[in-house]
Amino acid sequence: MNSNVTNADWQKAWSGRFEKKNTPLMERFNASISIDIRLWWADIQVNFAWAKALVKTGVLTGKELEFIQNGLQQIQQEFETDTFQITPSDEDIHMAIERRLTELIGEAGAKIHTGRSRNDQVVTDVRLYLKRKLGELQKLTRQFQQALVESAQNYRQLIMPGYTHLQPAQAILFSHYLLSLFYALERDQNRFRDLLPRLDILPLGAGALAGSAFAIDRNLLANELGFQKISENSIDAISDRDFMLEFIYILAQIQVHLSRYAEDLIIWSSAEFGFVELDDAWSTGSSMMPQKKNPDSLELIRGKTARVLGLQNQLFVLLKGLPLTYSKDLQEDKAAIFATIDIVADSLQVFTGVIESLKVNEGRMKARLDSALFATDLADYLVKKGIPFRKSHHLVGQVVRWGIENHCPIDKIPFEVYEQISPVFERSLYEIFDWKHSIEVRDLPGGTGFNSVKQQIEKAKRLLEES
Ligand code: ARG
């Protein structure tokens, strides 16, 4: 290497073939450092491991390895203390670290890129980074699930109207509702666990596309970097972004879960419902209307979901029709997945805070329990007296219609009217107009019954403990 290598006015690593420099616009257009800087930790780990592997092949001496290790340690420190200087020639994080290493230790640094390409380096970095992020996101999801279980325990007996088509449908326990989100998120947890073995594969050694010409011990690399397996085919290793698609799908799925529940709570926090009130810490006011307290935290979760779905789509479209193996298009993959991770991590924490501090207006929930919600129970009552369900459904429909026409809730309709609609009705029918009864009868596993919900809570706690 000539002295240019350590010159502050460092040429681009690939500039040998070029007569002219890039225009400043091209330089900016080409650079990904502002996005992939967050791979610094992973890139340093990959460099440590790669240097060790190069010693085994005889490319580096033990002394050179020592220089490299010291240099990398210093670079790591610079990142940790926020003192790492990015220069205009640093196209991406890989070039920046190699440039700095060579600056620090000279020739040995200029040997680090032997037998590898940024193509295998970048996917290795991303896999390493995503493994870490997967663990963090699992933890954030766990914390949210924890908050949901705690809240479900606090409101175990609270009865509220449940909705289909956003129309009052049947009475449910508020705890049952909260646990529904717990179990939806549990599926996302399973998706994370399921993805891990496909994420945990080392591509390094695949080179630019054909594999390294140096006898690199890839199993040693995998061991050093904590990967379970090595990739089987270098072409696939370079081109494959399935692990990113799967990852972003899981995140989009979580975000859509959050968005739907956000929507419910937004509706329930309106004056018209008044079931819940968000804590001030998670709400904002209006610049014009002094009386307003808006559920912005939840609205933003819902709003940012649009972005997440756009990013997921971006990643799919990026890959469609892209020739194998590497094209620079792939540089755009990281912007999509990183932004998604940030949004979902924030959203999980915001929703956790909202749930932990949510004020629940039990009185309003009870007040909205309209006796029409007993209609199914009434039909079931006739079924138990031997009437086929389709017929009992029709008879109760007539009861409901009589109530509407006569402005009378179904639990206040006189027995004579019931008798006229069907002689099967007995005075005992009025016993079903009891909210506790309506809950209790749905005590089968998975139902809203008190015992069922108790079991759901116990199971949820076991799942939290096991994880
Ligand atoms: N910054 C690039 C990326 O993120 C690294 C790989 C560059 N490879 C190449 N052949 N130019 O994809």
Side-chain angles (χ1 to χ4, degrees), residues 329-397:
D329 312 46
L330 287 173
Q331 181 162 283
E332 297 292 314
D333 60 0
K334 285 170 287 303
I337 191 111
F338 293 168
T340 307
I341 287 171
D342 292 348
I343 294 171
V344 175
D346 280 351
S347 299
L348 280 166
Q349 292 172 84
V350 168
F351 217 144
T352 304
V354 168
I355 289 292
E356 280 172 348
S357 60
L358 192 69
K359 274 184 237 153
V360 178
N361 193 338
E362 306 189 16
R364 286 284 294 202
M365 284 184 177
K366 282 185 189 139
R368 301 305 276 186
L369 285 168
D370 186 290
S371 64
L373 272 70
F374 287 123
T376 316
D377 298 308
L378 198 54
D380 292 347
Y381 164 89
L382 289 178
V383 166
K384 281 174 191 155
K385 297 208 170 295
I387 310 278
F389 178 74
R390 191 48 57 215
K391 203 165 163 206
S392 72
H393 183 286
H394 188 78
L395 292 170
V396 175

Side-chain angles (χ1 to χ4, degrees), residues 32 36 91-92 94 118-119 122 326 328 330-331 334:
S32 60
D36 57 34
E91 212 175 288
D92 55 28
H94 326 293
R118 276 184 294 159
N119 296 357
V122 70
Y326 182 87
K328 199 59 172 269
L330 287 173
Q331 181 162 283
K334 285 170 287 303

